[in-house]
Amino acid sequence: MPRLRIRGPDGQSSLTLSHEATVSDLRTSIQEKTSIQIFDLKYGYPPKLLILDEFDDASKLIDLPINLDGEQVLVSRKQTETPVPASKPATLHSKQSQAPTHPPASEATRNASNINPTASFSFAGVGEAPSPDMLKSLPSQSQNRSQPLSLQRKPNPTADDPPEIPIPSRAAKIILRIMPDDNSCLFRAFGSAFFGIMDNMTELRSSVASYIQDHRDEYSEVVLEKPPDDYCRWIQTENAWGGAIELNALAQQFAIEICSIDVQTSRVDVFNEGVGKRCILVYSGIHYDTIALSQADPYSMDGYAQPEDDVKIFDAKDDAVLEAAVELCRELKKRHYFTDTAGFEIRCNVCGGRFVGEKGATEHASLTGHYDFGEAG
């Protein structure tokens, strides 16, 4: 009896079919579970496209060349179907602000295609290819790297005692779940939020590579700063950093909205906006962590549920949680829980040399082949 997990824009559900179930039965069941009439399906790791139209509707599932029993099937709305309207009330939209004050989440930048290509430490932005003027501003050395830079943060006491933002109306609090300081922090943060685990980085890296390979028109050499095949091999190495490119790919692959809050600026970048569910990550310059909602539990010692009971997937229309997460990031900034990648001092762990910002580290790596750096004390 085939059993599947169906994950669509509005969440996950289980599906049990009889031994006699056909392709037509599967299609109808997915439509009923997700309320999506025309859809794309992906299954396995890395996710592979499942095209039901390649099979006769009367074909039994047990006779197909693929075994779906126990699989998680990702359901996304096909582009030919009318998508969820992108427009929202005026309180949820704004233009990017250059003001030094911190805008609330409802006024923050929420369009991933406008991300500054040099905003994250290692990667260019996602979306349209950068203009020639923008390309001139990119560090040319990054196109010649033979391997990714490795950078360790300075210890910060906030990691041991992160701030919390109560939401009395929910009898809950917003908290920061800290990810290990390694080059997989983005993948750990997303895995923690979406799957509830932090150790599936290899699979998530492969998933990103698969998405890029399937969307070469979107991810050209200009956007990736290297040939797509090289980039896909590179991102699957354990030392490769993730950034906007990876966030967009993961959001699309797993049919979820990802909000990334920049601690230094309070900017909110949104990937795959318009789907039903979201997770929230916190970007602190060279590191990613995860936002979680911890609900009250009168029987626990501290009055709240255990970490394994965290809620990390939220309704995409629930801006109360997003507002609280932005408030938490403002507290993180007060505690200097961020790295200014343009102006911080970096120490080469190979030769001991000191440099300023990403540009200095990149130039040194290009000249010497030294890729192991730490934030100078």
Side-chain angles (χ1 to χ4, degrees), residues 111-120 125-126 134 244 267 269-271:
N111 185 350
S113 64
N114 290 331
I115 292 177
N116 182 345
T118 59
S120 71
V126 172
M134 186 180 294
R267 188 185 69 237
D269 293 314
V270 181
F271 301 84

Side-chain angles (χ1 to χ4, degrees), residues 37 118 337 346:
Q37 300 305 306
T118 59
Y337 187 78
I346 302 174

Side-chain angles (χ1 to χ4, degrees), residues 3 29 49 69 73 94 111 113 117-118 155 199 206 214 218 242 263-264 268 277 284 295 305 344 349 366 376:
R3 293 182 175 87
S29 297
L49 193 63
D69 188 28
V73 178
S94 74
N111 185 350
S113 64
T118 59
D199 59 357
S206 295
D214 291 341
E218 181 179 356
V263 171
Q264 189 174 4
V268 181
K277 299 294 181 180
S284 51
Q295 297 174 318
F344 70 140
N349 292 330
S366 176

Side-chain angles (χ1 to χ4, degrees), residues 244-306:
I245 288 171
E246 287 65 39
L247 288 174
N248 184 66
L250 291 169
Q252 298 291 340
Q253 282 280 50
F254 294 100
I256 189 170
E257 177 182 293
I258 299 177
C259 291
S260 175
I261 308 175
D262 188 314
V263 171
Q264 189 174 4
T265 64
S266 293
R267 188 185 69 237
V268 181
D269 293 314
V270 181
F271 301 84
N272 200 23
E273 185 172 11
V275 296
K277 299 294 181 180
R278 74 157 57 116
C279 63
I280 305 173
L281 307 187
V282 170
Y283 173 64
S284 51
I286 58 174
H287 187 73
Y288 284 90
D289 295 306
T290 303
I291 288 291
L293 181 77
S294 180
Q295 297 174 318
D297 181 356
Y299 299 103
S300 68
M301 293 187 64
D302 66 352
Y304 287 91
Q306 297 301 306

Side-chain angles (χ1 to χ4, degrees), residues 291-348:
I291 288 291
L293 181 77
S294 180
Q295 297 174 318
D297 181 356
Y299 299 103
S300 68
M301 293 187 64
D302 66 352
Y304 287 91
Q306 297 301 306
E308 56 266 27
D309 297 319
D310 284 347
V311 176
K312 298 176 183 175
I313 301 295
F314 310 101
D315 190 308
K317 296 180 181 179
D318 186 356
D319 277 345
V321 170
L322 184 59
E323 292 280 357
V326 171
E327 181 63 28
L328 184 145
C329 287
R330 291 176 188 149
E331 291 298 318
L332 289 174
K333 182 177 182 180
K334 291 178 183 177
R335 301 186 187 188
H336 206 80
Y337 187 78
F338 68 91
T339 301
D340 179 2
T341 58
F344 70 140
E345 189 176 12
I346 302 174
R347 181 181 184 276
C348 176

